[in-house]
Amino acid sequence: MGELMLVTSGKGGVGKSTVSFYTGLTLALRGRKVLIIELDTGLRSLDVIAGISEQTVYHLGDVTAGRVKPSEAIVSSPLCKNLQLLCAPFSPEDRIEPHRLAWLCQGLDRFYDYTFLDAPAGIGYGFKVGCTAARSALIVATPDPISARDGGVVCDLLAEAGITRRRLIINRVDAKAVARGPISDLDEIIDTVGARLLGVLPESTALHLAAVSGRALPEGEAATAFANIARRLEGEQVPLAVQ
Ligand SMILES: Nc1ncnc2c1ncn2[C@@H]1O[C@H](COP(=O)(O)OP(=O)(O)OP(=O)(O)O)[C@@H](O)[C@H]1O
Ligand SMILES: [Mg+2]
């Protein structure tokens, strides 16, 4: 049984899709089979981040509605064939039925070591659909106190949904500000969200530029942070540090 992880946040724009893609790519480059399923119906972004806009003909809604087979809608990343992507529908009308997503994930499980469900922002329909299929969760928050508080709300809802393995990535951390000490303590964010820390990602122009053009990450702080996150997911003991 592979890892089936909902990537969620509460607050929007904190980096869920970016984290899903580069965590998935890092694991795939280590030889793991990885699938990212985007749940953000009507507001998709994974095709751009992954650089597959031109190749994407069918989407998740086509699969869950039975219009096409999963293999017709799943696209391999041009950066690594071990990383495969199933993008969200374009139209907000194309609702994903929770039991159909759960059925799809169960059917695909044996082909993948990791499946990441990239949730839309908030605690609405898409979040609930993701909760029905996922076995674990990755909460993404930034050092912004509102993002941390929203992450805490999401963490409680995940617990209510029976998802006991919940981990946290703190994204967009300014390492220099942490060293100077004025930004809110990372421990405070961990306490507010209430999930175990999996990793800290730096604020990074290199990451942003790669993510808007479907490129691999150049060597540097962000790539190192993703490598450490991937190693921890694989069960390695890697000391936590702000990169
Ligand atoms: N660590 C980072 N450093 C710099 N830019 C980042 C970082 N993480 C994410 N970004 C940028 O922030 C923006 C939002 O990221 P992303 O789309 O991954 O967020 P999201 O949580 O998936 O948003 P939504 O809630 O709309 O689904 C993107 O432009 C992305 O490149
Ligand atoms: Mg997103």
Side-chain angles (χ1 to χ4, degrees), residues 14-55:
V14 296
K16 294 175 294 299
S17 301
T18 307
V19 165
S20 299
F21 181 71
Y22 286 102
T23 303
L25 178 61
T26 308
L27 287 162
L29 290 168
R30 290 169 62 98
R32 299 296 174 192
K33 290 279 285 177
V34 182
L35 174 65
I36 303 176
I37 301 180
E38 182 186 35
L39 303 180
D40 216 339
T41 300
L43 290 171
R44 60 196 261 174
S45 62
L46 188 62
D47 55 339
V48 174
I49 297 173
I52 54 161
S53 303
E54 302 295 312
Q55 289 107 294

Tab-separated table of all heavy atoms in Angstrom, residues 14-55:
chain	number	residue	atom	x	y	z
A	14	VAL	N	-0.564	29.365	-0.310
A	14	VAL	CA	0.590	29.181	0.587
A	14	VAL	C	1.630	28.217	0.009
A	14	VAL	O	2.700	28.042	0.593
A	14	VAL	CB	0.148	28.693	1.992
A	14	VAL	CG1	-0.713	29.729	2.687
A	14	VAL	CG2	-0.593	27.364	1.905
A	15	GLY	N	1.284	27.579	-1.127
A	15	GLY	CA	2.282	26.728	-1.784
A	15	GLY	C	1.936	25.253	-1.865
A	15	GLY	O	2.819	24.425	-2.125
A	16	LYS	N	0.663	24.888	-1.702
A	16	LYS	CA	0.281	23.461	-1.746
A	16	LYS	C	0.692	22.798	-3.060
A	16	LYS	O	1.267	21.716	-3.062
A	16	LYS	CB	-1.248	23.297	-1.586
A	16	LYS	CG	-1.791	23.711	-0.259
A	16	LYS	CD	-3.302	23.629	-0.230
A	16	LYS	CE	-4.004	24.615	-1.149
A	16	LYS	NZ	-3.763	26.034	-0.869
A	17	SER	N	0.354	23.457	-4.182
A	17	SER	CA	0.625	22.827	-5.483
A	17	SER	C	2.128	22.776	-5.747
A	17	SER	O	2.645	21.787	-6.279
A	17	SER	CB	-0.094	23.600	-6.595
A	17	SER	OG	-1.477	23.610	-6.350
A	18	THR	N	2.830	23.829	-5.351
A	18	THR	CA	4.285	23.866	-5.519
A	18	THR	C	4.934	22.759	-4.684
A	18	THR	O	5.812	22.028	-5.153
A	18	THR	CB	4.824	25.250	-5.064
A	18	THR	OG1	4.100	26.268	-5.756
A	18	THR	CG2	6.298	25.401	-5.338
A	19	VAL	N	4.476	22.635	-3.438
A	19	VAL	CA	5.020	21.591	-2.547
A	19	VAL	C	4.687	20.203	-3.094
A	19	VAL	O	5.542	19.309	-3.122
A	19	VAL	CB	4.464	21.773	-1.111
A	19	VAL	CG1	4.704	20.536	-0.258
A	19	VAL	CG2	5.080	23.004	-0.462
A	20	SER	N	3.443	20.024	-3.566
A	20	SER	CA	3.061	18.714	-4.123
A	20	SER	C	3.984	18.352	-5.283
A	20	SER	O	4.521	17.236	-5.351
A	20	SER	CB	1.613	18.741	-4.653
A	20	SER	OG	0.714	19.029	-3.628
A	21	PHE	N	4.173	19.320	-6.185
A	21	PHE	CA	4.940	19.012	-7.395
A	21	PHE	C	6.413	18.724	-7.081
A	21	PHE	O	6.952	17.699	-7.519
A	21	PHE	CB	4.820	20.143	-8.434
A	21	PHE	CG	5.586	19.831	-9.686
A	21	PHE	CD1	5.143	18.842	-10.550
A	21	PHE	CD2	6.785	20.466	-9.965
A	21	PHE	CE1	5.868	18.502	-11.693
A	21	PHE	CE2	7.519	20.133	-11.094
A	21	PHE	CZ	7.061	19.156	-11.962
A	22	TYR	N	7.054	19.594	-6.325
A	22	TYR	CA	8.503	19.404	-6.131
A	22	TYR	C	8.819	18.294	-5.122
A	22	TYR	O	9.864	17.648	-5.221
A	22	TYR	CB	9.195	20.735	-5.792
A	22	TYR	CG	9.291	21.584	-7.039
A	22	TYR	CD1	8.414	22.642	-7.250
A	22	TYR	CD2	10.196	21.267	-8.046
A	22	TYR	CE1	8.453	23.384	-8.418
A	22	TYR	CE2	10.244	22.008	-9.228
A	22	TYR	CZ	9.376	23.060	-9.407
A	22	TYR	OH	9.416	23.768	-10.576
A	23	THR	N	7.913	18.044	-4.175
A	23	THR	CA	8.121	16.872	-3.317
A	23	THR	C	7.978	15.618	-4.181
A	23	THR	O	8.795	14.680	-4.103
A	23	THR	CB	7.095	16.843	-2.164
A	23	THR	OG1	7.202	18.063	-1.429
A	23	THR	CG2	7.340	15.675	-1.221
A	24	GLY	N	6.940	15.611	-5.021
A	24	GLY	CA	6.711	14.470	-5.913
A	24	GLY	C	7.881	14.273	-6.863
A	24	GLY	O	8.365	13.143	-7.054
A	25	LEU	N	8.379	15.359	-7.451
A	25	LEU	CA	9.497	15.259	-8.403
A	25	LEU	C	10.756	14.739	-7.702
A	25	LEU	O	11.477	13.883	-8.239
A	25	LEU	CB	9.760	16.638	-9.039
A	25	LEU	CG	10.923	16.712	-10.017
A	25	LEU	CD1	10.718	15.778	-11.217
A	25	LEU	CD2	11.122	18.149	-10.508
A	26	THR	N	11.002	15.236	-6.495
A	26	THR	CA	12.204	14.814	-5.762
A	26	THR	C	12.136	13.315	-5.468
A	26	THR	O	13.126	12.584	-5.638
A	26	THR	CB	12.339	15.628	-4.455
A	26	THR	OG1	12.261	17.015	-4.779
A	26	THR	CG2	13.652	15.345	-3.756
A	27	LEU	N	10.965	12.842	-5.042
A	27	LEU	CA	10.802	11.403	-4.775
A	27	LEU	C	10.939	10.595	-6.068
A	27	LEU	O	11.551	9.516	-6.083
A	27	LEU	CB	9.435	11.147	-4.135
A	27	LEU	CG	9.306	11.599	-2.670
A	27	LEU	CD1	7.829	11.716	-2.280
A	27	LEU	CD2	10.026	10.633	-1.728
A	28	ALA	N	10.371	11.121	-7.151
A	28	ALA	CA	10.432	10.405	-8.438
A	28	ALA	C	11.871	10.293	-8.927
A	28	ALA	O	12.283	9.252	-9.455
A	28	ALA	CB	9.562	11.124	-9.468
A	29	LEU	N	12.642	11.348	-8.727
A	29	LEU	CA	14.049	11.318	-9.155
A	29	LEU	C	14.879	10.355	-8.291
A	29	LEU	O	15.952	9.924	-8.691
A	29	LEU	CB	14.658	12.737	-9.113
A	29	LEU	CG	14.120	13.696	-10.191
A	29	LEU	CD1	14.546	15.131	-9.909
A	29	LEU	CD2	14.568	13.270	-11.594
A	30	ARG	N	14.341	10.024	-7.106
A	30	ARG	CA	14.973	9.003	-6.250
A	30	ARG	C	14.497	7.604	-6.619
A	30	ARG	O	14.790	6.638	-5.926
A	30	ARG	CB	14.627	9.267	-4.779
A	30	ARG	CG	15.290	10.499	-4.194
A	30	ARG	CD	14.693	10.830	-2.830
A	30	ARG	NE	14.883	9.786	-1.842
A	30	ARG	CZ	15.843	9.763	-0.918
A	30	ARG	NH1	16.710	10.755	-0.852
A	30	ARG	NH2	15.944	8.773	-0.062
A	31	GLY	N	13.675	7.495	-7.661
A	31	GLY	CA	13.263	6.173	-8.145
A	31	GLY	C	11.876	5.740	-7.706
A	31	GLY	O	11.444	4.633	-8.023
A	32	ARG	N	11.180	6.589	-6.971
A	32	ARG	CA	9.830	6.238	-6.527
A	32	ARG	C	8.808	6.533	-7.621
A	32	ARG	O	8.985	7.467	-8.408
A	32	ARG	CB	9.452	7.036	-5.270
A	32	ARG	CG	10.350	6.769	-4.111
A	32	ARG	CD	10.226	5.344	-3.691
A	32	ARG	NE	11.180	5.012	-2.668
A	32	ARG	CZ	11.443	3.775	-2.268
A	32	ARG	NH1	10.833	2.761	-2.841
A	32	ARG	NH2	12.305	3.548	-1.318
A	33	LYS	N	7.734	5.750	-7.612
A	33	LYS	CA	6.630	6.030	-8.545
A	33	LYS	C	5.655	6.970	-7.835
A	33	LYS	O	5.158	6.649	-6.747
A	33	LYS	CB	5.907	4.724	-8.908
A	33	LYS	CG	6.730	3.803	-9.783
A	33	LYS	CD	6.679	4.191	-11.242
A	33	LYS	CE	5.353	3.802	-11.882
A	33	LYS	NZ	5.271	4.245	-13.279
A	34	VAL	N	5.399	8.101	-8.450
A	34	VAL	CA	4.616	9.146	-7.784
A	34	VAL	C	3.492	9.633	-8.702
A	34	VAL	O	3.692	9.842	-9.899
A	34	VAL	CB	5.520	10.355	-7.423
A	34	VAL	CG1	4.719	11.429	-6.697
A	34	VAL	CG2	6.710	9.921	-6.570
A	35	LEU	N	2.307	9.795	-8.100
A	35	LEU	CA	1.171	10.372	-8.826
A	35	LEU	C	0.685	11.596	-8.046
A	35	LEU	O	0.530	11.539	-6.825
A	35	LEU	CB	0.029	9.344	-8.919
A	35	LEU	CG	-1.287	9.835	-9.518
A	35	LEU	CD1	-1.120	10.205	-11.001
A	35	LEU	CD2	-2.391	8.762	-9.381
A	36	ILE	N	0.451	12.683	-8.773
A	36	ILE	CA	-0.187	13.850	-8.147
A	36	ILE	C	-1.563	14.019	-8.792
A	36	ILE	O	-1.677	14.104	-10.020
A	36	ILE	CB	0.636	15.130	-8.346
A	36	ILE	CG1	2.063	14.940	-7.802
A	36	ILE	CG2	-0.045	16.320	-7.646
A	36	ILE	CD1	2.992	16.116	-8.046
A	37	ILE	N	-2.583	14.028	-7.943
A	37	ILE	CA	-3.940	14.259	-8.430
A	37	ILE	C	-4.383	15.629	-7.931
A	37	ILE	O	-4.404	15.883	-6.718
A	37	ILE	CB	-4.919	13.180	-7.917
A	37	ILE	CG1	-4.470	11.785	-8.356
A	37	ILE	CG2	-6.336	13.473	-8.411
A	37	ILE	CD1	-5.381	10.638	-7.891
A	38	GLU	N	-4.722	16.491	-8.851
A	38	GLU	CA	-5.106	17.859	-8.488
A	38	GLU	C	-6.627	17.923	-8.293
A	38	GLU	O	-7.391	17.542	-9.177
A	38	GLU	CB	-4.681	18.805	-9.621
A	38	GLU	CG	-4.991	20.250	-9.336
A	38	GLU	CD	-4.686	21.145	-10.521
A	38	GLU	OE1	-4.873	20.696	-11.684
A	38	GLU	OE2	-4.277	22.280	-10.304
A	39	LEU	N	-7.037	18.422	-7.127
A	39	LEU	CA	-8.474	18.468	-6.809
A	39	LEU	C	-9.085	19.856	-6.995
A	39	LEU	O	-10.258	20.044	-6.700
A	39	LEU	CB	-8.691	18.020	-5.357
A	39	LEU	CG	-8.169	16.625	-4.982
A	39	LEU	CD1	-8.458	16.327	-3.515
A	39	LEU	CD2	-8.800	15.559	-5.871
A	40	ASP	N	-8.292	20.805	-7.439
A	40	ASP	CA	-8.728	22.206	-7.489
A	40	ASP	C	-9.619	22.473	-8.708
A	40	ASP	O	-9.248	23.219	-9.627
A	40	ASP	CB	-7.483	23.095	-7.529
A	40	ASP	CG	-7.676	24.378	-6.756
A	40	ASP	OD1	-8.830	24.755	-6.541
A	40	ASP	OD2	-6.663	24.986	-6.377
A	41	THR	N	-10.801	21.887	-8.699
A	41	THR	CA	-11.711	21.985	-9.848
A	41	THR	C	-12.009	23.444	-10.203
A	41	THR	O	-12.402	24.217	-9.343
A	41	THR	CB	-13.030	21.261	-9.507
A	41	THR	OG1	-12.722	19.907	-9.235
A	41	THR	CG2	-14.025	21.335	-10.651
A	42	GLY	N	-11.794	23.782	-11.468
A	42	GLY	CA	-12.099	25.136	-11.948
A	42	GLY	C	-10.948	26.111	-11.774
A	42	GLY	O	-10.941	27.169	-12.402
A	43	LEU	N	-9.979	25.781	-10.944
A	43	LEU	CA	-8.849	26.702	-10.705
A	43	LEU	C	-7.535	25.928	-10.769
A	43	LEU	O	-6.710	25.996	-9.876
A	43	LEU	CB	-8.982	27.378	-9.327
A	43	LEU	CG	-10.109	28.390	-9.178
A	43	LEU	CD1	-10.265	28.798	-7.724
A	43	LEU	CD2	-9.867	29.613	-10.049
A	44	ARG	N	-7.372	25.188	-11.853
A	44	ARG	CA	-6.206	24.316	-11.901
A	44	ARG	C	-4.909	25.100	-12.085
A	44	ARG	O	-4.907	26.194	-12.652
A	44	ARG	CB	-6.374	23.259	-12.994
A	44	ARG	CG	-6.549	23.809	-14.370
A	44	ARG	CD	-7.080	22.735	-15.296
A	44	ARG	NE	-6.027	22.128	-16.084
A	44	ARG	CZ	-6.225	21.085	-16.892
A	44	ARG	NH1	-7.416	20.514	-16.992
A	44	ARG	NH2	-5.241	20.601	-17.600
A	45	SER	N	-3.818	24.533	-11.611
A	45	SER	CA	-2.504	25.167	-11.775
A	45	SER	C	-1.399	24.133	-12.004
A	45	SER	O	-0.317	24.473	-12.458
A	45	SER	CB	-2.146	26.002	-10.534
A	45	SER	OG	-2.058	25.165	-9.392
A	46	LEU	N	-1.702	22.870	-11.708
A	46	LEU	CA	-0.669	21.837	-11.773
A	46	LEU	C	-0.086	21.698	-13.189
A	46	LEU	O	1.110	21.451	-13.348
A	46	LEU	CB	-1.265	20.499	-11.307
A	46	LEU	CG	-0.286	19.352	-11.140
A	46	LEU	CD1	0.759	19.666	-10.069
A	46	LEU	CD2	-1.031	18.059	-10.804
A	47	ASP	N	-0.935	21.869	-14.216
A	47	ASP	CA	-0.433	21.733	-15.588
A	47	ASP	C	0.648	22.777	-15.892
A	47	ASP	O	1.632	22.493	-16.574
A	47	ASP	CB	-1.583	21.807	-16.610
A	47	ASP	CG	-2.416	23.065	-16.478
A	47	ASP	OD1	-2.400	23.697	-15.403
A	47	ASP	OD2	-3.091	23.439	-17.460
A	48	VAL	N	0.486	23.979	-15.324
A	48	VAL	CA	1.486	25.039	-15.555
A	48	VAL	C	2.750	24.733	-14.749
A	48	VAL	O	3.871	24.762	-15.278
A	48	VAL	CB	0.911	26.422	-15.155
A	48	VAL	CG1	1.986	27.504	-15.264
A	48	VAL	CG2	-0.292	26.764	-16.027
A	49	ILE	N	2.565	24.415	-13.469
A	49	ILE	CA	3.731	24.149	-12.604
A	49	ILE	C	4.551	22.982	-13.169
A	49	ILE	O	5.778	23.001	-13.152
A	49	ILE	CB	3.267	23.847	-11.150
A	49	ILE	CG1	2.575	25.071	-10.559
A	49	ILE	CG2	4.448	23.426	-10.268
A	49	ILE	CD1	1.926	24.838	-9.202
A	50	ALA	N	3.832	21.969	-13.691
A	50	ALA	CA	4.516	20.775	-14.211
A	50	ALA	C	4.948	20.931	-15.665
A	50	ALA	O	5.615	20.051	-16.214
A	50	ALA	CB	3.605	19.559	-14.065
A	51	GLY	N	4.549	22.035	-16.312
A	51	GLY	CA	4.932	22.253	-17.712
A	51	GLY	C	4.290	21.265	-18.665
A	51	GLY	O	4.900	20.836	-19.646
A	52	ILE	N	3.015	20.896	-18.390
A	52	ILE	CA	2.355	19.887	-19.238
A	52	ILE	C	1.054	20.426	-19.851
A	52	ILE	O	0.220	19.637	-20.289
A	52	ILE	CB	2.045	18.590	-18.448
A	52	ILE	CG1	1.238	18.893	-17.171
A	52	ILE	CG2	3.313	17.820	-18.131
A	52	ILE	CD1	0.533	17.699	-16.598
A	53	SER	N	0.903	21.752	-19.876
A	53	SER	CA	-0.357	22.322	-20.392
A	53	SER	C	-0.693	21.808	-21.786
A	53	SER	O	-1.853	21.548	-22.103
A	53	SER	CB	-0.274	23.847	-20.431
A	53	SER	OG	0.013	24.316	-19.148
A	54	GLU	N	0.337	21.664	-22.620
A	54	GLU	CA	0.098	21.244	-24.006
A	54	GLU	C	-0.319	19.777	-24.113
A	54	GLU	O	-1.028	19.398	-25.037
A	54	GLU	CB	1.383	21.438	-24.849
A	54	GLU	CG	1.914	22.857	-24.869
A	54	GLU	CD	0.946	23.817	-25.546
A	54	GLU	OE1	0.471	23.485	-26.639
A	54	GLU	OE2	0.659	24.870	-24.953
A	55	GLN	N	0.132	18.965	-23.162
A	55	GLN	CA	-0.138	17.513	-23.248
A	55	GLN	C	-1.441	17.112	-22.588
A	55	GLN	O	-1.864	15.973	-22.697
A	55	GLN	CB	0.966	16.691	-22.569
A	55	GLN	CG	2.286	16.665	-23.293
A	55	GLN	CD	3.288	17.510	-22.545
A	55	GLN	OE1	3.128	18.728	-22.458
A	55	GLN	NE2	4.300	16.880	-22.006
